[in-house]
Amino acid sequence: MKVFITRELPEIAFRLLKENKISFGYYKKDQPIPRKLLLEKIKNCEALISLLTEKIDKKVIDQMPGCKIIANYAVGYNNIDINYAKKKNIIVTNTPDVLTESTADLTMALVLACARRLSEGEKLLKTKKFKGWKPKLLLGMELKNKTFGILGAGRIGSAVARRAKSFGTNIIYVDSNRNQKLEKETAAKKVSLNNLLENSDILSVHLPLNSQTHHYLNHNRLNQLKRNSILINTTRGEIIDEKALIRLLENNRIMAVGLDVFENEPNINSELLKFQNVLVLPHLGSATKEARDGMAELAVKNVINVLKNKPALTPVF
Ligand code: GLV
Ligand code: GLV
């Protein structure tokens, strides 16, 4: 077995491997593979396809002396010790682009759901508390002319900005690089972090998680957010200090929060769940047929290329 896959993937992954006559095995239960079993299964593999639910640390990497590539089935790769992989001459790839539009769609779904209080509205109906139309029932925020802040204007941040622009918002962004394409498409303005935090009516987080971005939105920065703004996170939970966010919510400093990701997934801080203005989703950003097929195809194509001594399509370094 040349390739080990830590979970069953969309059919296209297996089809491509078979067409290329590459032997593979995978963990058949639809849950994270127990670490002990993972360490056992990968011993002789030349390629590993991993999910964000597995920690690919030194111990795992040391267990695969013949490994040439770790292909992560995700755009984020904070689950992999990439410095150690590099040291061991193992290529690491991710799945950018193919999930950009789906993740941006989900981000806008959270924005609209928070702005128009969809989850509170649905709960009212399903608990049979709707007594008819009222002038002041569940008033939300109209998007037109609001300031839409993008923290991290990469692929997904830019795709969200394009969508937000079509709702008539004014886009501001923070990124280490100027994004001239985005500025041209959406009249977005690059601003300082202080400006972004203090002026965004909606702030959407799109930074990758790494040692520099862990708890990037800490107590001080969260407290700079505009009163009655909306905060959306569809990247990684660890970017936001959840304890500080809970304090912000307790102090009624924010209109709504939409979260697709959490600090200790799948264990969600129960404090967060008690706020009616916090809308939570179970990490669904890339959860469309299109994106998941694209991710499976790209992960496997990276593996096939590397096993055939060709360059990887989407290496992370
Ligand atoms: C999902 O969270 C991903 O990184 O692809
Ligand atoms: C609302 O339903 C309206 O007709 O204005």
Side-chain angles (χ1 to χ4, degrees):
M1 176 192 83
K2 282 193 178 209
V3 184
F4 186 71
I5 312 172
T6 60
R7 198 86 60 95
E8 181 170 357
L9 294 184
E11 186 47 38
I12 184 162
F14 301 142
R15 201 172 68 227
L16 283 174
L17 288 167
K18 282 179 200 154
E19 278 170 15
N20 284 274
K21 303 195 169 27
I22 296 172
S23 58
F24 64 91
Y26 64 96
Y27 183 60
K28 295 196 174 60
K29 287 191 197 158
D30 195 15
Q31 60 192 49
I33 182 169
R35 187 151 164 105
K36 222 175 127 213
L37 188 61
L38 175 69
L39 290 170
E40 203 179 290
K41 290 280 183 191
I42 58 179
K43 273 185 191 149
N44 300 313
C45 74
E46 290 175 36
L48 175 67
I49 299 182
S50 54
L51 272 55
L52 57 90
T53 46
E54 282 92 42
K55 209 169 163 55
I56 310 300
D57 53 14
K58 289 191 178 68
K59 187 155 184 200
V60 172
I61 292 171
D62 279 339
Q63 194 74 356
M64 315 182 279
C67 183
K68 298 183 181 133
I69 172 172
I70 300 167
N72 213 35
Y73 180 71
V75 69
Y77 46 86
N78 55 288
N79 57 312
I80 302 174
D81 185 339
I82 57 162
N83 292 324
Y84 195 64
K86 200 174 184 175
K87 215 169 117 189
K88 294 279 164 182
N89 284 318
I90 299 175
I91 293 166
V92 177
T93 61
N94 65 343
T95 59
D97 303 314
V98 290
L99 48 61
T100 298
E101 302 301 321
S102 286
T103 307
D105 286 350
L106 187 95
T107 306
M108 281 313 289
L110 278 175
V111 170
L112 291 168
C114 284
R116 301 306 299 274
R117 306 175 65 175
L118 299 196
S119 120
E120 290 166 83
E122 195 194 38
K123 191 166 165 207
L124 193 82
L125 264 177
K126 288 192 170 170
T127 57
K128 308 216 178 333
K129 290 192 181 125
F130 177 50
K131 302 287 182 253
W133 193 93
K134 284 184 189 173
K136 293 186 183 171
L137 179 65
L138 289 176
L139 301 189
M141 179 201 285
E142 184 169 281
L143 295 188
K144 191 171 163 67
N145 295 328
K146 294 299 186 300
T147 298
F148 197 107
I150 301 279
L151 180 54
R155 290 174 291 257
I156 297 170
S158 300
V160 169
R162 285 196 294 275
R163 285 161 174 74
K165 178 71 185 171
S166 71
F167 284 86
T169 65
N170 303 309
I171 314 289
I172 56 177
Y173 73 97
V174 159
D175 197 280
S176 44
N177 300 309
R178 198 168 157 206
N179 188 333
Q180 275 165 325
K181 182 165 179 274
L182 181 67
E183 291 181 13
K184 221 165 143 187
E185 283 174 351
T186 66
K189 286 194 178 60
K190 186 171 185 292
V191 296
S192 67
L193 181 61
N194 286 337
N195 182 326
L196 186 87
L197 297 172
E198 285 159 17
N199 294 305
S200 295
D201 295 297
I202 300 115
L203 179 65
S204 192
V205 185
H206 299 286
L207 297 172
L209 175 63
N210 53 45
S211 54
Q212 276 108 60
T213 58
H214 187 267
H215 282 189
Y216 190 86
L217 290 183
N218 56 19
H219 172 81
N220 287 342
R221 286 172 176 166
L222 286 171
N223 277 279
Q224 278 179 271
L225 290 179
K226 190 169 175 176
R227 248 173 209 282
N228 298 318
S229 62
I230 294 172
L231 174 65
I232 304 293
N233 188 8
T234 55
T235 170
R236 285 290 180 272
E238 294 90 332
I239 307 262
I240 299 178
D241 179 346
E242 264 177 18
K243 287 212 175 82
L245 179 62
I246 289 164
R247 265 180 281 157
L248 197 78
L249 283 155
E250 280 168 350
N251 295 331
N252 263 320
R253 286 271 287 96
I254 194 157
M255 175 187 163
V257 180
L259 302 173
D260 187 40
V261 288
F262 305 88
E263 269 202 79
N264 298 302
E265 275 172 45
N267 304 313
I268 315 294
N269 187 330
S270 56
E271 291 284 297
L272 263 183
L273 304 180
K274 65 181 197 211
F275 299 102
Q276 58 181 10
N277 54 342
V278 174
L279 206 155
V280 289
L281 293 177
H283 204 147
L284 295 178
S286 67
T288 62
K289 171 99 173 66
E290 291 85 353
R292 293 285 161 85
D293 279 351
M295 291 159 68
E297 182 175 350
L298 184 52
V300 168
K301 284 186 169 168
N302 273 307
V303 165
I304 292 170
N305 269 23
V306 170
L307 293 185
K308 293 187 172 171
N309 294 316
K310 289 192 218 155
L313 299 170
T314 50
V316 306
F317 50 75

